[in-house]
Amino acid sequence: MKPNTHPDYHMIKVQMTDGTVFETRSTWGKEGDTMQLDIDPLAHPAWTGGRGTMLDAGGQVARFNKRFGGLTLKR
């Protein structure tokens, strides 16, 4: 195996959105660095069962319905 082909694998701290911290091994950062998460299983709707509404960013859904709303499958 070639030397120096793998990144440094070391211990870091991960800070969750609620402030709790745990240690894990990672190639991110340097030994002892703290990674602060903006989204984690405690806050993200995908894990917490958050609202199931579709967000309409800039009228995308309305524009789609206006363009293709009249289409039907006719035989």
Side-chain angles (χ1 to χ4, degrees):
M1 193 158 76
K2 292 181 182 178
N4 301 322
T5 57
H6 297 286
D8 180 33
Y9 195 57
H10 49 269
M11 295 297 289
I12 66 165
K13 295 176 183 171
V14 178
Q15 183 175 2
M16 306 290 267
T17 56
D18 68 348
T20 59
V21 177
F22 68 92
E23 288 192 20
T24 187
R25 294 178 57 94
S26 175
T27 58
W28 179 85
K30 299 180 298 245
E31 178 82 27
D33 281 355
T34 301
M35 177 188 292
Q36 295 181 345
L37 300 179
D38 294 331
I39 299 174
D40 63 15
L42 301 173
H44 195 277
W47 288 290
T48 60
R51 68 181 197 272
T53 60
M54 183 187 307
L55 298 177
D56 186 9
Q60 297 277 346
V61 174
R63 194 167 34 236
F64 178 86
N65 287 335
K66 180 179 176 186
R67 189 169 178 188
F68 300 108
L71 293 179
T72 59
L73 298 174
K74 296 180 183 177
R75 288 205 160 215

